[in-house]
Amino acid sequence: MAKKRQYAMIDIAKYVSALLVVAIHTFPFYEISETLNTYFIQTICRIAVPFFFTTSGFFFFRKWSEDKEVNKESVKKYLLRLLKIYLIWSVIYLPYTIYDYTRDGFQIMNIVSYVRDFLLNGSYYHLWFLPALMTATVIVSFLYSKKGLMTTLKVCLILYIFGYFINVYALVWEQIPVISFFYEFFTKVFTTSRNGFFFGPLFVCMGLLLARTKRLDKKLNQIGFLISFILLVLEVTIYRATGILRDLTSMYISLIPAVYFFVNWMLTIKIPYKESYKAMRNESLLIYTSHILFAKVLLILFPEAHLVVYFVTLALAQGFASLVIHYKEKYPILENLV
């Protein structure tokens, strides 16, 4: 069997994306400039999670075959791996979860909220990516196997656009009497549209598209990404100027072409593969999942030193990731974290 090509730049970009996710949760430039902090998080950093979705979709669907039973088994195996990681990290964050739910007094509805969040929004706030990736993979796999690529793309785009209006225009819906009722009902059920039903499917499907089509020319990808990124900056500027931009705003229209061209570009870059790149791939997941363990405490201890908190969080998360990678062969239980 021919050996699958390794994509060094994807692994490097995954690592950088994990560092950007840490920035989203630590606001590194908050004391330096509120404007700089906003634009850094809402433009550069917002590419990170869609990038994770897209590359996950690409590597999953490039193994897709004509055998439906084989594909079903692949989906099952993939979901079980993600579920195992999700459950383990949910247990690790349980003390933080209990603290957050009980610091203002325990209520029975806390249990209901936790169950809802566990299924839809993540057992802890940054872990939402894992159940979202599972849900998005199921949606895209089902649609693709039943209806083909184009229908899957159309449905996922419709889901994203619906989620975009919910995510970006929340402040508008809250002020319109009749619509505010339905918006409140939606948020009671889903909390947010940034999940595996509305956010994730389009980017996972984008990975499917990249797995099933030829690469675009590198120059075209560079120009496409540059134009898309400029549009992303303009989009953020418009939302900020109109007063609807919030910390949780994340579903931008211009993210779609930006991520498509960026991942396409990274896939065209050929450099010799090293084992260190595989380590970076695993470290990116470990940094993503572990960084809140450190950031949460550091932000309490140093509430007015966000840049310091960012770098210390990175150092601690990287140290943790390095230890896991170094010792996982000696202690196989650590393999469950990645």
Side-chain angles (χ1 to χ4, degrees):
M1 182 181 291
K3 187 177 180 181
K4 288 284 188 181
R5 180 189 162 188
Q6 301 279 12
Y7 294 91
M9 280 308 302
I10 293 294
D11 289 339
I12 293 170
K14 278 186 176 181
Y15 183 84
V16 174
S17 294
L19 307 188
L20 295 177
V21 171
V22 177
I24 291 173
H25 297 135
T26 54
F27 310 102
F29 303 117
Y30 187 79
E31 285 83 19
I32 298 172
S33 168
E34 186 273 334
T35 299
L36 172 62
N37 189 74
T38 296
Y39 275 96
F40 178 65
I41 289 175
Q42 297 294 349
T43 58
I44 296 173
C45 294
R46 287 301 178 200
I47 295 173
V49 174
F51 173 81
F52 282 133
F53 276 113
T54 304
T55 53
S56 296
F58 172 79
F59 287 112
F60 178 76
F61 283 105
R62 74 171 180 162
K63 297 180 290 185
W64 200 259
S65 72
E66 298 298 322
D67 191 321
K68 293 183 179 181
E69 292 304 315
V70 171
N71 292 334
K72 286 181 181 178
E73 192 61 31
S74 296
V75 172
K76 180 181 177 182
K77 184 178 179 181
Y78 186 62
L79 294 178
L80 286 174
R81 174 180 172 269
L82 291 174
L83 180 61
K84 179 182 68 174
I85 295 172
Y86 181 48
L87 290 174
I88 289 171
W89 281 103
S90 295
V91 171
I92 291 173
Y93 278 96
L94 203 53
Y96 283 56
T97 305
I98 293 171
Y99 171 76
D100 288 348
Y101 275 117
T102 60
R103 61 183 172 182
D104 295 323
F106 176 78
Q107 298 178 9
I108 194 66
M109 283 302 296
N110 294 150
I111 298 176
V112 177
S113 296
Y114 181 76
V115 172
R116 176 200 61 191
D117 290 341
F118 183 89
L119 295 173
L120 299 175
N121 305 313
S123 52
Y124 210 63
Y125 58 89
H126 71 301
L127 296 178
W128 72 272
F129 172 75
L130 294 169
L133 180 57
M134 287 187 275
T135 303
T137 301
V138 170
I139 291 172
V140 175
S141 298
F142 176 80
L143 288 171
Y144 182 52
S145 63
K146 298 294 184 181
K147 298 295 183 179
L149 179 57
M150 291 310 299
T151 298
T152 304
L153 272 171
K154 291 174 184 177
V155 172
C156 291
L157 181 60
I158 291 170
L159 289 172
Y160 186 88
I161 291 174
F162 177 82
Y164 156 78
F165 280 109
I166 295 293
N167 178 258
V168 173
Y169 297 97
L171 295 178
V172 175
W173 309 137
E174 291 172 350
Q175 297 173 23
I176 302 176
V178 177
I179 294 179
S180 64
F181 171 81
F182 293 101
Y183 174 76
E184 185 178 350
F185 176 77
F186 179 91
T187 55
K188 288 290 184 182
V189 176
F190 290 99
T191 303
T192 175
S193 59
R194 187 211 57 183
N195 56 31
F197 292 97
F198 306 102
F199 185 93
L202 180 60
F203 294 109
V204 171
C205 188
M206 199 178 293
L208 162 63
L209 175 65
L210 290 167
R212 287 288 174 264
T213 55
K214 293 182 179 180
R215 301 283 72 79
L216 299 177
D217 178 74
K218 184 187 294 186
K219 196 71 174 179
L220 178 60
N221 287 323
Q222 292 171 341
I223 294 172
F225 174 70
L226 178 60
I227 293 172
S228 301
F229 186 77
I230 292 172
L231 291 174
L232 176 59
V233 173
L234 290 174
E235 197 174 346
V236 170
T237 301
I238 292 170
Y239 300 150
R240 190 166 182 258
T242 54
I244 63 174
L245 186 70
R246 302 171 301 143
D247 289 342
L248 296 178
T249 303
S250 55
M251 296 181 69
Y252 300 105
I253 294 297
S254 46
L255 264 182
I256 301 170
V259 173
Y260 174 75
F261 286 116
F262 181 72
V263 177
N264 221 322
W265 177 18
M266 293 299 102
L267 290 170
T268 63
I269 300 175
K270 299 179 180 180
I271 58 177
Y273 198 81
K274 303 176 183 178
E275 277 300 307
S276 58
Y277 298 141
K278 183 179 179 181
M280 292 177 73
R281 183 199 316 162
N282 290 328
E283 287 170 351
S284 68
L285 175 60
L286 289 166
I287 289 172
Y288 184 103
T289 49
S290 72
H291 74 276
I292 295 297
L293 289 172
F294 314 111
K296 186 89 170 178
V297 176
L298 289 168
L299 285 170
I300 294 173
L301 294 176
F302 308 103
E304 298 180 1
H306 286 75
L307 188 59
V308 173
V309 167
Y310 174 67
F311 283 114
V312 174
T313 298
L314 284 186
L316 292 173
Q318 175 61 68
F320 172 81
S322 298
L323 288 173
V324 171
I325 300 300
H326 182 75
Y327 286 107
K328 66 186 179 71
E329 291 186 9
K330 186 176 181 180
Y331 303 103
I333 192 173
L334 295 176
E335 290 277 3
N336 295 315
L337 295 174
V338 292

